Amino acid sequence: MRAAVLRTPAPVDSNPLQLEDLAIPVPASNEVLLKVLACGVCHTDLHIVEGELSPRLPWVIPGHQIVAEVVEPNGSSLKKGARVGVSWIGGTDGTCSFCLSERENLCDHPTYTGYTHQGGYAEYTTARADFLSVLPEQLSNNDAAPLLCAGIIGFRSVRVAEVKRGQRIGLFGFGASAQLIIQVLLAWDCKVYVSTRETQHQQFARSLGAEWVGGGTDLPPVALDCAVTFAPVGEVVIAALRSLAKGGIVAINAIHLDRIPQFDYDSLLWGERQIRSVANMTRQDGRDFLKIAAEIGLKPTVTTYPLERANEALQTIRHDKFTNPAVIVP
Ligand SMILES: [Zn+2]
Ligand SMILES: [Zn+2]
């Protein structure tokens, strides 16, 4: 099979992914063999390719938003030819205190697709049968791909922020995840207030139906019920906190965050306001989000790349170009 392989992490402008011919992988006893139909490109892939996330395998095929067809069910209940999705969490131990309390997103020993397990920038891959989501028919291969990480994690953030129908919601930052989630919030009759630095993102938020749009740390004209921050900037968390009504929650959708500035407890946190982080996803988040995505007709506009242009797809993320989510089609 052909695959885009990372042997040595390096700046993405030096084209570190190489197209190679490899043997089709053999699934382990709890895995299935999959033919990759589409694989979304995520910001985390860039961190892996450039070595900000230190290598965990001698070499790796990145990619963790995989739409695939089951080639070899390998004794699982999945049917040959079924269309499934693979996400960032490729497996958990199932035995730690977090797994045993329905919080598998916090598992002590997870595997990560395209990082600690070979991913989807390839013609074939393997994945644990019990971590696959069967994809609703309404979603095309290319449209489903960006939903599998950007979408599901965005959806988990909305859950962590305890969003309810019809509420006033703030989105701080407007990248791939926010662009999908606003469509869910609008379908729930929420009023959405978007604060983002980029002019093109501001225009896009307006065109999708945001109630109000402002700059990166601008405060909406009304008090919010809850907010999700996507920008990896501590000041943005403070802006989000400042915009909350009493009892409101800020959910931080960012793996890394620069320092949160000192803030005044009495005026910003008192009144049962909360700041919460969002870590990974559970399988239930994935199932619930994909069902909603199909129901509301969520349709991201994507740009596709063949495998040999995987470096180029990542370069558009590195240079923060305002483009559609990138999807690799082997
Ligand atoms: Zn666990
Ligand atoms: Zn991702």
Side-chain angles (χ1 to χ4, degrees):
M1 69 168 188
R2 296 187 319 146
V5 179
L6 180 73
R7 298 272 166 189
T8 313
V12 74
D13 285 334
S14 67
N15 299 323
L17 291 171
Q18 299 164 11
L19 199 63
E20 296 186 14
D21 283 314
L22 300 173
I24 291 176
V26 178
S29 59
N30 59 351
E31 292 182 338
V32 296
L33 177 63
L34 299 169
K35 182 177 197 299
V36 179
L37 304 171
C39 183
V41 177
C42 173
H43 211 278
T44 306
D45 299 340
L46 185 66
H47 294 314
I48 292 166
V49 165
E50 297 201 319
E52 283 167 282
L53 284 171
S54 47
R56 301 270 293 270
L57 296 172
W59 55 271
V60 70
I61 301 168
H64 60 267
Q65 303 189 92
I66 309 171
V67 175
E69 187 184 298
V70 176
V71 176
E72 174 48 67
N74 202 16
S76 72
S77 60
L78 290 155
K79 291 205 170 60
K80 192 173 170 152
R83 205 172 56 123
V84 295
V86 187
S87 307
W88 174 237
I89 299 292
T92 55
D93 57 18
T95 54
C96 75
S97 63
F98 301 102
C99 285
L100 294 175
S101 56
E102 292 178 22
R103 295 179 294 166
E104 66 183 6
N105 60 306
L106 303 178
C107 178
D108 283 331
H109 306 100
T111 55
Y112 299 113
T113 310
Y115 181 43
T116 68
H117 186 283
Q118 303 299 352
Y121 291 11
E123 290 177 315
Y124 293 88
T125 192
T126 61
R128 258 177 71 167
D130 54 347
F131 274 77
L132 297 172
S133 351
V134 173
L135 295 173
E137 272 174 29
Q138 296 94 318
L139 300 169
S140 74
N141 296 340
N142 295 348
D143 290 347
L147 306 186
L148 293 168
C149 180
I152 298 173
I153 303 241
F155 182 66
R156 182 166 183 87
S157 309
V158 159
R159 287 199 150 153
V160 168
E162 298 183 12
V163 169
K164 293 173 188 68
R165 279 178 184 271
Q167 285 189 324
R168 292 165 163 170
I169 316 298
L171 300 179
F172 289 77
F174 203 67
S177 199
Q179 291 166 19
L180 292 170
I181 281 319
I182 190 174
Q183 301 177 56
V184 174
L185 296 173
L186 293 171
W188 288 349
D189 297 323
C190 293
K191 291 202 182 342
V192 184
Y193 300 79
V194 176
S195 301
T196 183
R197 202 174 50 157
E198 305 286 334
T199 322
Q200 282 169 310
H201 284 168
Q202 292 175 357
Q203 283 163 358
F204 191 43
R206 238 176 245 119
S207 75
L208 289 175
E211 187 77 8
W212 169 93
V213 176
T217 53
D218 288 355
L219 302 189
V222 295
L224 303 174
D225 296 301
C226 39
V228 181
T229 68
F230 298 91
V233 181
E235 275 181 1
V236 169
V237 174
I238 298 300
L241 202 51
R242 207 178 286 284
S243 66
L244 287 185
K246 282 181 281 191
I249 299 173
V250 174
I252 303 174
N253 179 331
I255 299 178
H256 302 290
L257 190 68
D258 69 8
R259 202 174 156 279
I260 300 183
Q262 274 205 337
F263 65 89
D264 179 52
Y265 170 82
D266 294 10
S267 60
L268 290 189
L269 209 56
W270 171 248
E272 298 196 347
R273 293 174 179 90
Q274 299 178 52
I275 308 177
R276 302 175 68 179
S277 65
V278 179
N280 302 319
M281 61 180 74
T282 65
R283 280 172 278 182
Q284 195 61 44
D285 293 327
R287 285 182 212 118
D288 294 346
F289 173 68
L290 290 168
K291 184 162 174 277
I292 290 168
E295 278 166 11
I296 69 169
L298 186 57
K299 193 170 164 39
T301 310
V302 306
T303 301
T304 59
Y305 295 81
L307 260 184
E308 47 270 37
R309 288 172 60 202
N311 286 301
E312 200 185 316
L314 283 167
Q315 284 154 10
T316 63
I317 297 181
R318 157 57 63 229
H319 300 296
D320 223 1
K321 289 191 185 149
F322 179 75
T323 49
N324 302 324
V327 173
I328 292 175
V329 180

